[in-house]
Amino acid sequence: MAKEKSRFSSSSIWTEKYRPDNFDDLTIGHENLIKRARAFVTSKNMPHLLFAGPAGCGKTTLALIIVKELYGKNRRENFLELNASDARGIDVVRQQIKSFARVHSLGDVPFKIIFLDESDALTKEAQQALRRTMENYTETCRFILSCNYSSKLIDPIQSRCAVFRFKLIDKKDIDEKIDIIAKGESLKIDEKAKSALYEVSNGDLRRAINLLQASASVDKHITENLVYEIASTVKPTQIKHILENSLDGKFLEAREKLFDLMLKEGLSGIDIIKAISSQLTELKISNEKKLKIIERVAEAEFRLVEGSDEFIQLEALLASFGVIGR
Ligand SMILES: Nc1ncnc2c1ncn2[C@@H]1O[C@H](COP(=O)(O)OP(=O)(O)OP(=O)(O)O)[C@@H](O)[C@H]1O
Ligand SMILES: [Mg+2]
């Protein structure tokens, strides 16, 4: 697995290259989580852990740091990383766990660590099997399970783990990380471009870093436009104009801008619908009107997903905004 190979070596992928690899490098808070993790490392003792939270918020990073701090140079022997959604299925995963867990840990930490990513992708049956595996190898192994939704895991697993809840990264922290990388890579980055990175990534730091890298491969001067272009999403102001025009009854203007976005910038109907719904809060109209718009947007989204023609659906949507705006 390419992912595994890159783990402990330098990498040209920025999410890896700039991944903090000890507690002091963590620029992003999660303070009480880090405190708990440090305590485990100091005492060389820890329960099974469950890391729950949205994508790109630092779960893997913290797990890797725990492993590194616990085992130092012995980490290769004492650490196994698996992905639960792996196509090879849970049986292979169980075999791997078994042969890894059978052999005692190397060095002065009495257990090995198995990091199981996307554990909420496991079926209920697979989770039962995992639970038994966790019990069987309690002596020699600790699990760190990573997932987006802890509620998707069966209770017996949740109750066997100390739960760490991760949050989306806020703008200040994303900005700080972007600045560090921009410095390291000698990029010039506009303030507005940073806002764009945050807007598009929605608190997913991995997405923000990947976008930065993709943008930088086009131009070392990162601008707002470049970011939106690379992300091929709509600039919030563009959508806002379309919405305002259509609410003001300027249907033709709104439609022209809309078709521009779709034809020239290659955005799909669904992209536009999502952008509209995220811009709604910015509009200066009554709540009653907003509710009506939300209803219409949801209907259009449903039709698009069902396979309706996106141009016709979006045109109809804009027309209905005109009626609502009256
Ligand atoms: N505490 C932190 N301080 C600074 N940078 C961080 C921190 N945590 C994560 N990062 C950066 O954010 C990127 C994404 O983090 P990570 O891969 O740990 O997310 P994740 O929660 O495992 O996401 P996923 O659920 O998608 O696997 C990393 O590549 C790293 O560069
Ligand atoms: Mg991860």
Side-chain angles (χ1 to χ4, degrees):
M1 234 198 301
K3 197 172 164 193
E4 259 167 352
K5 230 184 268 163
S6 64
R7 276 294 180 236
F8 301 123
S9 56
S10 67
S11 169
S12 56
I13 301 169
W14 292 356
T15 50
E16 295 299 330
K17 185 171 174 190
Y18 292 94
R19 192 195 286 283
D21 73 349
N22 59 62
F23 284 120
D24 296 327
D25 279 355
L26 292 169
T27 53
I28 291 162
H30 300 313
E31 259 154 53
N32 91 65
L33 304 186
I34 296 172
K35 213 156 82 200
R36 282 161 79 194
R38 268 188 199 268
F40 295 146
V41 168
T42 316
S43 62
K44 295 195 195 314
N45 188 10
M46 66 173 222
H48 299 302
L49 308 181
L50 176 57
F51 286 4
C57 65
K59 299 182 297 296
T60 302
T61 303
L62 188 59
L64 292 174
I65 290 179
I66 292 176
V67 167
K68 183 170 177 236
E69 300 265 337
L70 270 175
Y71 302 113
K73 64 178 177 11
N74 289 333
R75 61 179 181 257
R76 279 168 206 277
E77 291 76 14
N78 291 314
F79 174 58
L80 176 67
E81 182 179 7
L82 297 167
N83 193 311
S85 66
D86 201 305
R88 291 170 302 172
I90 188 66
D91 284 336
V92 179
V93 169
R94 253 156 65 203
Q95 276 311 319
Q96 277 179 296
I97 292 177
K98 240 179 175 165
S99 56
F100 174 77
R102 218 174 9 227
V103 185
H104 269 274
S105 63
L106 196 80
D108 57 355
V109 182
F111 53 84
K112 296 175 160 183
I113 288 182
I114 296 174
F115 180 65
L116 186 58
D117 216 348
E118 294 185 53
S119 56
D120 48 355
L122 293 173
T123 62
K124 293 274 176 282
E125 294 74 49
Q127 290 188 31
Q128 292 294 353
L130 172 64
R131 163 205 177 173
R132 282 189 296 276
T133 313
M134 288 169 83
E135 278 164 3
N136 290 343
Y137 297 107
T138 279
E139 291 285 305
T140 51
C141 270
R142 296 293 179 277
F143 282 82
I144 301 180
L145 307 176
S146 167
C147 67
N148 294 133
Y149 304 102
S150 63
S151 57
K152 285 197 188 161
L153 293 172
I154 56 174
D155 286 341
I157 290 187
Q158 290 190 48
S159 63
R160 273 174 180 73
C161 297
V163 183
F164 280 49
R165 294 198 189 282
F166 288 72
K167 292 203 231 35
L168 283 172
I169 314 289
D170 59 26
K171 176 153 190 323
K172 175 179 79 51
D173 287 331
I174 292 206
D175 281 358
E176 190 179 339
K177 185 84 189 184
I178 297 292
D179 282 334
I180 292 173
I181 299 177
K183 193 157 174 244
E185 303 293 329
S186 316
L187 307 175
K188 179 173 182 308
I189 179 158
D190 298 352
E191 276 309 310
K192 279 193 167 171
K194 280 195 255 175
S195 300
L197 285 170
Y198 177 69
E199 172 79 27
V200 175
S201 64
N202 238 319
D204 174 343
L205 183 53
R206 161 140 14 71
R207 176 118 209 268
I209 298 174
N210 283 337
L211 258 174
L212 178 66
Q213 182 164 17
S215 306
S217 72
V218 175
D219 192 339
K220 290 252 180 194
H221 178 190
I222 316 284
T223 62
E224 181 189 22
N225 279 337
L226 179 58
V227 171
Y228 283 120
E229 199 178 299
I230 294 290
S232 67
T233 65
V234 211
K235 261 210 264 190
T237 50
Q238 290 174 304
I239 285 292
K240 208 166 152 232
H241 282 146
I242 293 177
L243 281 170
E244 284 167 353
N245 278 332
S246 59
L247 285 163
D248 284 350
K250 295 179 197 145
F251 174 73
L252 292 179
E253 278 177 64
R255 188 179 67 167
E256 192 187 321
K257 284 189 184 130
L258 172 78
F259 284 5
D260 265 0
L261 281 179
M262 295 172 74
L263 296 169
K264 294 191 188 148
E265 307 200 14
L267 292 159
S268 73
I270 288 286
D271 292 336
I272 306 249
I273 297 261
K274 283 193 181 139
I276 290 177
S277 84
S278 73
Q279 276 307 298
L280 268 185
T281 47
E282 305 285 319
L283 290 176
K284 292 188 182 65
I285 51 171
S286 69
N287 280 340
E288 196 191 334
K289 286 182 177 167
K290 280 184 190 166
L291 290 180
K292 284 188 184 151
I293 293 182
I294 291 172
E295 227 172 275
R296 290 291 301 126
V297 168
E299 203 176 308
E301 196 251 6
F302 177 75
R303 291 190 181 156
L304 287 188
V305 173
E306 292 285 300
S308 302
D309 182 292
E310 43 186 20
F311 286 93
I312 294 176
Q313 285 305 322
L314 283 166
E315 233 183 325
L317 188 62
L318 292 189
S320 75
F321 291 170
V323 176
I324 295 171
R326 264 186 217 150

